[in-house]
Amino acid sequence: MKIVNAKVFTKDFNFANIDIEVNGTVFGTSFDNEIVDAKGLMAIPGLIDTHFHGSLGADFMDSTPKSLEKIAKYQASVGVTSICPASMTMGLNEIASAFANAAHFKAKDDEADLVGIYMEGPFVSHLKLGAQNPKYVMAPDLLAFRQLQHTANGLVKVLAIAPEVPTALDTIKLLQNEVKVSIAHTGCSYDIALKAIENGAKRLTHTFNAMPGINHRSPGPILAAVDAPWCEAEIITDGVHIHPSAVRAAFKLFGPEKMILISDSMMAAGLDDGEYSLGGQAVFVEGRKATLKDGTIAGSATNLYDCMVTAVKEMQIPLVDAIRAATYNPARSIGILDKCGSIDYGKKADLLLIDEDLNLKAVLLRGKWGKSV
């Protein structure tokens, strides 16, 4: 297959008028005569959500093949072609069950690839729980993590840790070459956050949320990450979690090369308002806002594609930066850039065709067209 006349988002983070060739499931020299005319459209890589919990009434922690299938099918339909679902702070046996379920998942033709797991909890702080269940919070445990990683068959790509809790800094140092450690659900100071980064932490979990904000006398973990030689910042641009000015500030502080868009969506994504659950706790959804009974924001009800569009249209993030933060950067962050994240020879043939108003028109998933939108 050859796709012609599209404006193609390149690995140089710009648009170019080039043809795209597809050979089977990857980008490569085409040996057939099928021509797809994409005049008037932009071609961008399939999106990669490295931190979300569920969609369409299903949750990663359901630990059933049916739930993962439902999640993966929905995500692919909205342009998210690679997924890294997140666990919640629950019992270790429940987490292990979810990880074992993920390890056995094989994507069908209309389902996104499961490329990793984001382990969010139970190694968090009681000071900034967000929607994490306090009943199951525990100090970072090296052996417990390695057992869970074995159960997951190595799929855990990101591990969330609050660096101020006992054993955290030592655990981060010992695991820095085994998993990407992310500073998360924390009340830590600037100094402790910087120490965590020096010990090997390389990411902030949903930046601004579930952590101290920026204060000129107590700058906290965000400015520690800015000052570090390298620390990525994931951010939720659903229009609920963070004010547009703070999103713009984050892109300026970290630079577009370090920003990662996530949806942090829970099971309500793709469904109507109502009552749902997350990590064993009731969640109430109205519009784009999902909250616990006490009003605490509990994930989002927005998929990553819509988050990317919101970043551009409502937050004035340049289109090329938003696309990069939803494709290339997350692929690099979890170590799969050799397989996806850009439209490049030999990589999975995952791409989206979108119009000038950022409407999603078609999804190419592993070289096969999904339903037009």
Side-chain angles (χ1 to χ4, degrees), residues 39-231:
K39 186 176 182 179
L41 300 176
M42 294 177 282
I44 69 173
L47 305 194
I48 303 166
D49 199 344
T50 56
H51 183 170
F52 79 105
H53 298 276
S55 50
L56 219 62
D59 189 284
F60 177 65
M61 295 301 292
D62 292 342
S63 304
T64 65
K66 184 177 180 180
S67 284
L68 273 186
E69 289 166 6
K70 185 181 291 188
I71 289 168
K73 185 174 182 178
Y74 168 78
Q75 295 296 329
S77 76
V78 295
V80 183
T81 55
S82 297
I83 57 174
C84 184
S87 59
M88 288 290 290
T89 298
M90 299 181 77
L92 294 181
N93 287 339
E94 292 171 283
I95 295 172
S97 180
F99 287 10
N101 184 49
H104 289 95
F105 177 78
K106 301 295 182 186
K108 297 183 177 67
D109 284 349
D110 59 352
E111 296 171 353
D113 282 316
L114 195 153
V115 294
I117 295 170
Y118 193 114
M119 185 170 164
E120 186 178 15
F123 306 148
V124 297
S125 169
H126 283 280
L127 295 175
K128 292 287 183 178
L129 285 170
Q132 304 297 319
N133 194 327
K135 179 180 178 182
Y136 300 106
V137 170
M138 61 182 287
D141 185 313
L142 185 69
L143 179 60
F145 169 76
R146 285 178 170 159
Q147 289 175 334
L148 288 167
Q149 180 70 296
H150 177 74
T151 300
N153 197 25
L155 274 175
V156 181
K157 303 298 185 182
V158 183
L159 172 63
I161 292 182
E164 75 273 25
V165 302
T167 74
L169 292 177
D170 288 341
T171 303
I172 292 169
K173 190 170 186 177
L174 290 167
L175 288 176
Q176 63 178 311
N177 296 319
E178 298 179 34
V179 67
K180 176 152 286 187
V181 177
S182 186
I183 296 172
H185 289 277
T186 177
C188 75
S189 66
Y190 172 95
D191 292 335
I192 293 296
L194 206 56
K195 185 67 174 176
I197 294 168
E198 289 169 356
N199 280 18
K202 292 290 184 282
R203 185 162 167 161
L204 290 183
T205 292
H206 40 54
T207 304
F208 293 114
N209 292 109
M211 64 180 60
I214 298 172
N215 181 281
H216 61 295
R217 291 194 182 92
S218 180
I222 299 170
L223 292 191
V226 171
D227 282 347
W230 183 268
C231 188

Side-chain angles (χ1 to χ4, degrees), residues 26 88 336:
V26 300
M88 288 290 290
I336 59 170

Side-chain angles (χ1 to χ4, degrees), residues 256-273:
E257 70 277 6
K258 295 180 184 176
M259 295 302 299
I260 297 170
L261 297 189
I262 63 167
S263 72
D264 199 22
S265 67
M266 40 80 71
M267 64 167 60
L271 298 177
D272 296 330
D273 294 354

